[in-house]
Amino acid sequence: MSGQRTTVPGGDRASLQFTEARKQLWTDNAALIGLAPEDAAALVASSGSAQSALDSRVAAVNAAKAATVTWHTAAEENRSLAQDLVRKIRGFAVQQADPDAVYAAAQIDPPKTPGELPEPAVPTDLKVTLDTEGRAVLTFESTRYGGTTWRIQRRVVTSQGAITPWASVDWVYERKFVDQATPSGVAGVHYRVRAERPSGISAFSTPVALPFGAGGNQQATAGAIAPTETSGKEAG
């Protein structure tokens, strides 16, 4: 009896493979192997039912895996968007006379008190290039910790070689700035950036220069220039 019990494998998949491999053979040779026609028919029906159930299970598992991937992808995108919007709200709040009113309206916790956060470090590794539409694209390195945002300033080198004063052109939430109003018909432009958070502001970075050809925005190269003598804390 023990030999009969161990002939059919104990695992679900293994036992199904056993019957699937023999159901037609046992049907064809039923009389020869001592089985009644109804025995063979029952095996065929049972094996088919088990195989169908297995196929349904495999399909359900694959669907669950796909649904899980879809869920995690959607959740990650949602979380990333929410984080970006929280940074934007915090950046807006710090510019207002009553930041707490902004946090209350958004139902988010205000940042730590200024005394608990250090002043942000000066942004580094500024790079500026021209894209295919002739716009200056500025990138830099800086921490995003504590709701940091960045103020971008620009000055122009005229075709006569004069340099205009620094002027604030934007205030961004990402470590990249595309100058939609890149000057044309000038000898070049300079950019600098500083980090701002509720605990304070950094000095401005060492500027980078984007020289143009005589005809305007023709070159896509950038080089660092010496820091100006203007205080890094001034707004413009």
Side-chain angles (χ1 to χ4, degrees), residues 52-69:
S52 178
L54 175 60
D55 292 343
S56 296
R57 179 183 181 279
V58 170
V61 169
N62 290 337
K65 288 180 180 179
T68 299
V69 171

Side-chain angles (χ1 to χ4, degrees), residues 25-48:
L25 178 67
W26 288 7
T27 298
D28 294 342
N29 297 311
L32 185 61
I33 60 177
L35 296 180
E38 56 268 27
D39 293 330
L43 180 64
V44 170
S46 175
S47 187

Side-chain angles (χ1 to χ4, degrees), residues 156-163 185-188:
V156 174
V157 182
T158 69
S159 56
Q160 291 76 34
I163 300 178
V186 297

